[in-house]
């Protein structure tokens, strides 16, 4: 993550990256369940279930499945039996021809933790789309929460790489 800090009991973060496509094409990509599935597969999440409802100016996408034990930090594994079921909800709103606003929330079933973020996708003068994400991670496990939040942030490069690979592949083929 570009920036992170612990404020109180929540770990805040900011991340920026760019898609090599204009906002209109990124909007098409976000509305395609195949893109979301590909992103999850790049994270090695087996058999994610993806539902996408795309309308003129709004997209709501949910992804659910099970996180393999190998992706769960060691300190958290003792609190969970096997993997953990998760749900990710993404909501996107097309503001105008150059801007998309998004909100996402990820949480696990029976896991005292969540990630939520606000995302702005803005077209650059070069015709690409810059993503700026501001969010927070919260783990409600006494004495281990802050440590697990930091470990969760360490997965950020893998998450962004999975998103970028899925986006690059989708944009090249659509």
């Amino acid at each position: 993550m570009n920036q992170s800090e612990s404020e109180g009991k929540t770990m805040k973060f900011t991340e920026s990256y760019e898609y090599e496509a204009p906002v209109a094409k990124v909007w098409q990509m976000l509305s395609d369940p195949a893109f979301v599935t590909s992103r999850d597969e790049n994270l090695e999440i087996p058999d994610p279930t993806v539902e996408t409802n795309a309308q003129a100016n709004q997209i709501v996408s949910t992804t659910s499945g099970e996180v393999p034990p190998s992706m769960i930090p060691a300190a958290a594994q003792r609190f969970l039996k096997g993997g953990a079921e998760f749900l990710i909800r993404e909501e996107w709103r097309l503001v105008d021809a150059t801007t998309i606003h998004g909100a996402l929330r990820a949480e696990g079933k029976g896991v005292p933790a969540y990630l939520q973020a606000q995302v702005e996708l803005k077209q650059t003068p070069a015709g690409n789309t810059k993503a700026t994400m501001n969010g927070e991670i919260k783990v409600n496990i006494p004495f281990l929460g802050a440590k697990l939040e930091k470990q969760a942030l360490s997965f950020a490069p893998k998450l962004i790489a999975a998103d970028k690979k899925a986006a690059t592949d989708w944009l090249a083929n659509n």
Side-chain angles (χ1 to χ4, degrees):
M1 292 282 160
N2 289 341
Q3 180 182 50
S4 64
E5 59 184 68
S6 181
E7 291 184 4
K9 298 183 178 197
T10 303
M11 180 74 65
K12 306 264 184 192
F13 66 89
T14 297
E15 182 61 45
S16 295
Y17 51 97
E18 203 165 296
Y19 295 112
E20 294 183 16
V23 163
K25 194 70 167 174
V26 171
W27 180 258
Q28 289 177 323
M29 179 180 73
L30 293 171
S31 69
D32 186 349
F35 163 73
V36 179
T37 300
S38 175
R39 181 181 60 196
D40 295 337
E41 288 171 349
N42 289 339
L43 286 169
E44 299 175 3
I45 295 173
D47 303 320
T49 300
V50 176
E51 294 181 23
T52 300
N53 180 2
Q55 298 176 358
N57 293 326
Q58 183 175 344
I59 301 167
V60 176
S61 180
T62 58
T63 303
S64 59
E66 186 157 326
V67 178
S70 62
M71 292 183 67
I72 299 171
Q77 287 183 9
R78 65 180 166 192
F79 294 97
L80 304 171
K81 303 291 185 222
E85 292 180 32
F86 70 91
L87 176 67
I88 301 170
R89 181 179 173 88
E90 299 175 61
E91 296 182 30
W92 301 99
R93 184 174 56 86
L94 186 60
V95 176
D96 57 37
T98 63
T99 307
I100 300 169
H101 286 166
L104 64 92
R105 183 171 175 96
E107 54 194 353
K109 182 178 179 184
V111 178
Y114 68 84
L115 175 144
Q116 63 185 20
Q118 301 296 314
V119 184
E120 180 180 69
L121 302 171
K122 188 85 173 155
Q123 193 158 307
T124 68
N128 292 334
T129 300
K130 181 178 181 183
T132 303
M133 177 185 293
N134 294 297
E136 64 184 26
I137 296 174
K138 175 68 177 154
V139 178
N140 291 313
I141 298 176
F143 307 111
L144 290 176
K147 179 180 178 179
L148 293 174
E149 289 165 0
K150 287 179 183 175
Q151 286 182 347
L153 282 176
S154 73
F155 284 112
K158 186 173 182 175
L159 295 171
I160 292 167
D163 183 81
K164 288 180 107 174
K165 180 176 180 351
T168 299
D169 293 348
W170 191 94
L171 292 167
N173 292 308
N174 292 282

